[in-house]
Amino acid sequence: MDMNELQNKSVGLVLSGGGVRGMGHIGMLKALQEHKIEASVISGSSVGALVGALYAGNRDLKDMLAFFKETPLFKYNFVTINKPGLVDTERYYPIFKEYIPFADFESLHKQLFVMTTNLQKGVEEVFSTGELIMPLLASAALPPVFSPVEMNNMLYADGGIMNNFPSEPLKGKADFIIGSNVSMVREVSKKEISSSFQLASRTTSLMVYAINRQKIRSCDIIFEPVELEHIGVFDKKAIENAYTIGYDHACRVLEELSVKSQ
């Protein structure tokens, strides 16, 4: 692949879910920026949708990291007793609005597709027009921690439940598709599957990975920093580490591609 040629093509970007591991997406964006590669259309699920919205709003990388560092995952006064879930997702609305100050999708600088799960119908739903913040809240509302978000009299939750690597909305919308997947699986020891929680977590990861594997492989470039597997989905202390892992991995992949294209 000719890297110079890529700089002149329309680029689509797929960003997976993965909690704090999603900081790897921001590191990847820094590497793309350094290689003068910019996407014009983005599709994201869960944390990928949030990073995608910040990117589509032309926020710089420091602002992106600040958003995740400063947004509290669990705030005592956000705890809900009236809704399913531990935390009331809609209480995050003003925090999201501060960092993503756009009234609707149409106001963004790049086209964005946000994957959500309609819990009542049992289907995935993509949002790309109209009000922006509520679909973003829904896409990142991971059960059972965060409550579902109500839109159009329906309950919506994390896009990753049904589609953690939403490449479908980009079909026919870009010459070149770049994928960033931060929900990969590695071989684990028996000790790492020694509790009910670890067992549930492992089987969920395997199902998500298997369902999306073929789509991931079909991307023109894929970034999958396996080292992120060691970082917990809710481990806020690992934000900088996940960012660095994503950046270093993307740099290596792009350098290898640059060498091959010479």
Side-chain angles (χ1 to χ4, degrees), residues 23 26 61-69 239-240 243:
M23 300 309 95
I26 303 176
L61 300 169
K62 284 181 184 174
D63 283 346
M64 290 188 192
L65 283 174
F67 169 73
F68 290 101
K69 283 178 182 174
I239 283 177
E240 285 285 350
Y243 167 78

Side-chain angles (χ1 to χ4, degrees), residues 72-92 144-147:
L73 276 177
F74 309 108
K75 208 172 179 184
Y76 74 92
N77 59 335
F78 283 12
V79 171
T80 179
I81 52 172
N82 301 318
K83 296 180 179 181
L86 302 174
V87 179
D88 184 352
T89 304
E90 292 182 35
R91 296 292 296 275
Y92 287 90
V145 177
F146 297 99
S147 68

Side-chain angles (χ1 to χ4, degrees), residues 31-51:
L32 289 186
Q33 195 179 73
E34 289 174 355
H35 282 78
K36 296 182 171 57
I37 299 167
E38 186 174 0
S40 57
V41 56
I42 308 112
S43 180
S45 209
S46 198
V47 69
L50 302 185
V51 173

